[in-house]
Amino acid sequence: MSASIHTHRSSVRDIVKRKGGAPIVCLTAYTAPVAKILDRHVDLLLVGDSLGMVIYGMDGTLGVTLDMMIAHGAAVARTARRACVVIDLPFGSYEASPEAAFASAARVLAETGCAAVKIEGGAGMAETVRFLTERGVPVMGHVGLQPQSVHAVGGFRVRGRTESEAAGVRADARAVSEAGAFAIVLENIVEPLARTITNEVAAPTIGIGASPGCDGQILVTDDMAGMFTEFTPRFVKRYGDLAGALADAARAYAEDVRKRRFPGPEHCFGVPKAAASGE
Ligand code: KIV
């Protein structure tokens, strides 16, 4: 067993304490079997609304519903024993008012058993972050590129290349941290900006496309493991070829079925013992 493998459940407080310390390891998970495999290797599992693309074949995250997040979130929270489980509030479930956000977050917490919710948005969402945290809902923030606002802010480009844009992202991160977020995802921002934000906010920063200057890192598991191969953003490093492994297995199975090599006698019922054991 490697020294990095976890032996106790990470709480939101454990994540907060890691500010400035050993990097916080995070991955996404949407299903029980994947959560079971990842659980002991990470500090935090995010049930991200990226499941819209990864699991449901959508073009983006806007079609993801609260019921989808709750179904997948409950599967992950039920399975994870060591990682802190955080669930995204999807588009449309929290923006209208702090009260609407609380109603959605309360359902997510009560119906899944997760530790916290994540919401996208900066200064404009600070009041909501405060409203939730003051009512006992731990919140992870998400600034920089915010996929739920992709139509409003113009595409998936890197944020913070101009001074004014960098100042905006900094202000967003500060506002969300001061409002009580226990951690903040920084998505697709330039490295100097990620380092500045990480140095100036109290909450640990979790980067995705945001350089090693963050307190932790997150990737979409299916990107990291080579399962989702439609496109690979520059910030992804592939650590496996799950799509290739699954294709190889399917090819071998199909050939065996077509050539009547599967099922063999050992997979059948009511055949003489000698045939089943290959004697
Ligand atoms: O939805 C998601 O998976 C996310 C991560 C990419 C941070 O928000």
Side-chain angles (χ1 to χ4, degrees):
M1 192 187 271
S2 125
S4 64
I5 286 178
H6 278 230
T7 52
H8 78 280
R9 191 177 189 86
S10 290
S11 65
V12 162
R13 286 175 54 131
D14 291 325
I15 302 294
V16 172
K17 282 194 231 144
R18 298 274 293 276
K19 176 78 190 172
I24 304 162
V25 182
C26 314
L27 280 171
T28 62
Y30 319 109
T31 64
V34 170
K36 191 167 181 183
I37 294 168
L38 303 181
D39 185 38
R40 55 191 0 235
H41 301 287
V42 301
D43 301 302
L44 186 148
L45 284 173
L46 173 70
V47 186
D49 60 357
S50 49
L51 65 75
M53 287 95 83
V54 177
I55 302 285
Y56 289 96
M58 297 173 172
D59 285 340
T61 57
L62 300 188
V64 174
T65 65
L66 194 59
D67 286 339
M68 284 176 180
M69 296 310 301
I70 289 173
H72 288 271
V76 171
R78 197 179 289 137
T79 312
R81 293 278 171 272
R82 297 172 171 88
C84 179
V85 176
V86 179
I87 300 180
D88 261 343
L89 291 189
F91 179 68
S93 73
Y94 64 94
E95 300 89 336
S97 66
E99 288 78 7
F102 183 79
S104 298
R107 266 197 74 195
V108 168
L109 258 55
E111 295 179 36
T112 69
C114 71
V117 297
K118 176 165 82 61
I119 63 177
E120 291 183 10
M125 274 297 142
E127 188 195 343
T128 296
V129 173
R130 192 177 304 283
F131 191 88
L132 294 184
T133 52
E134 283 175 351
R135 284 160 182 77
V137 179
V139 178
M140 182 181 236
H142 184 151
V143 306
L145 175 65
Q146 296 159 37
Q148 291 178 11
S149 314
V150 73
H151 296 312
V153 295
F156 287 94
R157 66 186 171 75
V158 174
R159 300 298 194 269
R161 288 199 196 278
T162 65
E163 253 178 51
S164 69
E165 194 173 68
V169 180
R170 263 176 88 178
D172 281 344
R174 274 203 304 264
V176 169
S177 181
E178 282 161 14
F182 78 91
I184 307 175
V185 169
L186 303 181
E187 180 162 354
N188 241 15
I189 64 172
V190 295
E191 171 154 6
L193 176 59
R195 291 191 187 279
T196 304
I197 291 173
T198 300
N199 286 336
E200 69 185 7
V201 301
T205 57
I206 309 295
I208 175 163
S211 89
C214 302
D215 296 302
Q217 298 294 326
I218 187 163
L219 283 177
V220 169
T221 294
D222 298 65
D223 290 337
M224 181 279 297
M227 182 64 185
F228 185 77
T229 54
E230 307 291 295
F231 62 89
T232 307
R234 165 165 170 191
F235 56 77
V236 170
K237 179 171 174 184
R238 269 208 201 158
Y239 290 85
D241 179 23
L242 288 195
L246 188 54
D248 287 348
R251 196 176 303 113
Y253 164 75
E255 203 177 314
D256 273 3
V257 171
R258 287 187 185 113
K259 296 203 165 138
R260 298 194 186 282
R261 290 192 299 241
F262 177 84
E266 70 276 28
H267 307 115
C268 298
F269 304 99
V271 291
K273 247 201 171 127
S277 64
E279 284 167 31

